[in-house]
Amino acid sequence: MSTTVYTTMESPFGRLLLSGVLPEGGGAAALATVTAPGQKYALSEPADDWVLDPEALAEPVAQLTAYFAGERTSFDLPLAPVGTEFRRRIWAALDEIPYGETVTYGQLADLAGESPRAVRAVGGAVGANPLLIVRPCHRVMGANGSLTGFAAGVDCKRRLLELESGTLF
């Protein structure tokens, strides 16, 4: 049975909650969730069976800190998100969106090898992304280029895009 560990970190968007799964032999955790304050459909506090272990999540904290400082444009972490095969394909496609660029939901469907008709299902998978910021769902826009929903709020999405364009912080 695996152990879920957690830590928190301060960010420009408030206190982030990070959780991860420890490998059976010990060591660094594979990142499972990154949650922002007020994020829809996500735990705002650690679950009762999670264990506080900042050391096991030190690398994700360091990489997120560097990202917010404008010193990092991608993440290199072991990941352990939980989701259906379809959602995992969509989440993996998010990793293909370059830093500072955006795609539409239709383009994301294409990146994931899905039909453009799957755009609503793709939107649902994007909205359920458990790895906020690390898996850049904030880079997905409406078909007309508009800022559409974001689990942590459209203002947070706007600020992340501004950070990546060099106009924030």
Side-chain angles (χ1 to χ4, degrees):
M1 188 163 139
S2 61
T3 300
T4 301
V5 294
Y6 78 94
T7 194
T8 60
M9 67 173 284
E10 292 304 317
S11 81
F13 308 102
R15 190 178 123 239
L16 300 179
L17 172 65
L18 287 70
S19 74
V21 179
L22 281 178
E24 289 196 22
L31 191 62
T33 65
V34 176
T35 306
Q39 184 176 333
K40 294 179 188 174
Y41 316 115
L43 292 176
S44 60
E45 297 294 328
D48 291 339
D49 61 340
W50 292 4
V51 176
L52 178 62
D53 190 345
E55 185 60 34
L57 293 163
E59 187 58 26
V61 168
Q63 289 190 28
L64 280 161
T65 300
Y67 169 83
F68 291 128
E71 300 166 356
R72 185 172 199 84
T73 60
S74 64
F75 297 93
D76 183 22
L77 299 164
L79 304 176
V82 175
T84 65
E85 183 178 329
F86 174 81
R87 284 184 172 182
R88 288 192 313 266
R89 265 198 322 278
I90 301 304
W91 298 337
L94 291 171
D95 294 338
E96 303 303 316
I97 307 169
Y99 180 88
E101 295 184 23
T102 60
V103 300
T104 65
Y105 288 94
Q107 291 169 321
L108 182 63
D110 188 55
L111 278 173
E114 297 294 329
S115 164
R117 293 189 314 246
V119 72
R120 281 205 166 113
V122 168
V126 170
N129 172 25
L131 292 164
L132 199 69
I133 304 163
V134 172
R135 285 249 158 103
C137 53
H138 58 278
R139 297 179 190 154
V140 184
M141 311 297 279
N144 63 0
S146 64
L147 291 181
T148 55
F150 185 61
V154 173
D155 184 57
C156 183
K157 180 175 190 165
R158 181 180 297 107
R159 292 176 63 204
L160 285 165
L161 292 171
E162 290 171 350
L163 167 69
E164 292 187 7
S165 70
T167 61
L168 182 68
F169 312 130

